Amino acid sequence: MIINHNIAALNTHRQLTGNQNAVQGSLEKLSSGLQINKAGDDAAGLAISEKMRGQIRGLEMAEKNAQDGISLIQTAEGAMNESHAILQRMRELATQSANDTNTDADRAELQKEVDQLANALNDISEDTEFNTQSLLDGSFEGTFHIGANEGQNLSVEIGDMSAEALGVVGVESTEATIASNYVVTNSNGEEINIEFADLETGTEETEGSHTFNEENNTLTITLAQDAGADASSPGAISSTHNDVLAAINSVSGLNATLADSVADGSAEIGGTTVPADGNVSAATTPDPDKGINISTQSAADNAITTIQSAIDQVSAERSKLGAVQNRLDHTINNLGTSAENLTAAESRIRDVDMAKEMMEFTKNNILSQAAQSMLAQANQQPQGVLQLLQ
């Protein structure tokens, strides 16, 4: 028997300490619900779990991004729904104006509504916004981040839905230039003025007259004669030019040809095209405050096809956005499934099995209490030495 070292007590104390540490560990896991509360619990498991947590949170945010993208698309598509309604009304008015039961005064009233409808299209194009971003003016080129990782994007562009972009605005002026002769200014096929410049001096003359026959789409131009020239001479039209070439309006599709009697200074647009002595260029200046011209029977007839093309253009844009929206719907479903499966995998690593851990806690708690009792017994053993000393 020895008294300097109570080996039994030391051993019991060591066991008690271990049991108490185990009880504390179980209490920590049971109170947090996590199997891994610090890196020491499972170093590799912690690293894997944190990587999965980053992926899960990225997927959840990507799902929100996709939902915001759908909201943006619905805003744009809803505005284009009204654009469709406006274009359908414009087509209806053009069809009405193309009927000759209407007088010029009637068509003028119809034109007023078309002008206002064109302005309404422009208002929708300019004012439709999502989070202060314009959607229908042709400037929106967006990227939706719909994944948890880099590069998992969806690019979306929305076309210009203004009246000008759709081709249903009035034309302020259309100019076709033949470099070696003269300039024709065409106001939407209704008014054409003649100017022709002297090739040597560059001066411009504005003399001359014209008439436009709407029935056969023919323009007759009477050019000014040179001062003092004999009207019966072919050169009387302009002695400073090689030949008199009719202007070709390539925008409206009218063709130019010289009239049979060149001497009277006439030319016709509407017949066979005459090759131009020089380069031909054309430019159209739209008038955003005016709608497409329906003020004449022929103009209204042509406008029907133009407006239908605009309707088709809006339909194509809405179809494209609808397809993107359906894609985002499927993306949201996939992101939700992926996040759910990753969460389950992360849970198996990180979360504690409460029932199993309660078993461990109960065992360690009983062992701790038993160790305390045994430590008390071990501390009583050295007192047996006193019996030997009596």
Side-chain angles (χ1 to χ4, degrees):
M1 298 178 70
I2 60 175
I3 61 173
N4 286 325
H5 295 89
N6 190 339
I7 303 303
L10 290 174
N11 181 269
T12 303
H13 179 266
R14 180 175 60 82
Q15 295 292 338
L16 175 61
T17 301
N19 291 335
Q20 288 179 333
N21 289 337
V23 169
Q24 291 176 359
S26 293
L27 285 173
E28 182 181 26
K29 292 177 182 179
L30 289 169
S31 61
S32 67
L34 296 175
Q35 184 174 338
I36 303 174
N37 290 283
K38 55 185 179 296
D41 293 336
D42 184 352
L46 177 69
I48 296 171
S49 173
E50 289 298 334
K51 186 184 298 183
M52 285 185 173
R53 281 187 174 185
Q55 192 76 1
I56 292 167
R57 295 180 70 170
L59 289 170
E60 291 173 346
M61 183 52 65
E63 186 174 350
K64 294 179 181 178
N65 289 346
Q67 291 170 343
D68 289 340
I70 288 178
S71 297
L72 184 148
I73 288 174
Q74 287 176 333
T75 301
E77 197 270 333
M80 280 190 280
N81 180 59
E82 196 58 34
S83 296
H84 250 154
I86 291 172
L87 289 169
Q88 293 288 3
R89 176 57 178 164
M90 291 177 75
R91 192 184 191 284
E92 183 180 17
L93 292 171
T95 304
Q96 180 180 358
S97 182
N99 189 19
D100 269 339
T101 57
N102 295 287
T103 64
D104 290 342
D106 296 332
R107 291 188 172 108
E109 297 304 317
L110 295 174
Q111 184 67 56
K112 290 179 182 179
E113 183 174 353
V114 169
D115 293 345
Q116 292 301 317
L117 291 174
N119 286 325
L121 284 174
N122 290 329
D123 291 341
I124 292 174
S125 174
E126 294 170 3
D127 299 341
T128 302
E129 295 181 347
F130 184 87
N131 193 25
T132 72
Q133 298 182 84
S134 296
L135 299 181
L136 301 183
D137 63 355
S139 64
F140 184 81
E141 296 181 6
T143 299
F144 300 154
H145 195 89
I146 54 174
N149 303 319
E150 179 184 359
Q152 295 178 342
N153 301 322
L154 169 62
S155 297
V156 177
E157 297 181 9
I158 303 177
D160 189 350
M161 294 292 106
S162 65
E164 181 178 350
L166 296 173
V168 292
V169 295
V171 177
E172 189 173 76
S173 65
T174 301
E175 294 184 353
T177 303
I178 300 178
S180 63
N181 286 72
Y182 48 83
V183 178
V184 173
T185 301
N186 180 346
S187 176
N188 203 31
E190 298 172 331
E191 180 178 351
I192 301 179
N193 299 318
I194 300 299
E195 298 177 354
F196 57 101
D198 189 316
L199 293 181
E200 297 179 358
T201 65
T203 59
E204 293 187 356
E205 301 177 13
T206 57
E207 298 179 6
S209 63
H210 65 277
T211 57
F212 183 69
N213 188 329
E214 296 178 356
E215 295 299 326
N216 55 20
N217 207 33
T218 299
L219 170 71
T220 300
I221 304 169
T222 301
L223 302 175
Q225 298 176 350
D226 288 339
D230 183 0
S232 63
S233 170
I237 299 174
S238 178
S239 60
T240 59
H241 295 71
N242 295 327
D243 293 309
V244 176
L245 296 176
I248 303 172
N249 187 333
S250 60
V251 175
S252 66
L254 298 177
N255 297 322
T257 182
L258 295 179
D260 294 336
S261 55
V262 178
D264 66 3
S266 296
E268 288 185 351
I269 292 182
T272 305
T273 301
V274 175
D277 182 14
N279 298 323
V280 177
S281 61
T284 300
T285 303
D287 188 347
D289 294 328
K290 295 182 180 179
I292 190 170
N293 181 32
I294 63 167
S295 61
T296 66
Q297 193 282 329
S298 59
D301 193 36
N302 293 332
I304 294 174
T305 300
T306 303
I307 297 172
Q308 183 60 51
S309 297
I311 292 173
D312 295 341
Q313 185 175 339
V314 176
S315 296
E317 196 68 24
R318 291 183 68 185
S319 297
K320 181 184 76 174
L321 293 181
V324 173
Q325 181 176 341
N326 289 338
R327 175 179 175 179
L328 289 175
D329 284 332
H330 291 297
T331 299
I332 289 172
N333 293 335
N334 181 57
L335 289 171
T337 301
S338 298
E340 179 183 346
N341 291 333
L342 273 176
T343 300
E346 195 264 345
S347 174
R348 285 190 289 270
I349 297 173
R350 199 74 177 251
D351 291 340
V352 68
D353 185 336
M354 298 294 288
K356 181 179 179 181
E357 195 59 39
M358 193 64 202
M359 291 169 55
E360 289 293 321
F361 170 76
T362 302
K363 181 191 72 173
N364 292 327
N365 194 33
I366 293 173
L367 289 174
S368 179
Q369 294 176 19
Q372 290 176 9
S373 177
M374 293 304 101
L375 180 59
Q377 294 295 326
N379 287 333
Q380 293 296 323
Q381 286 183 353
Q383 294 184 4
V385 174
L386 296 176
Q387 299 296 326
L388 299 176
L389 299 178
Q390 290 178 358

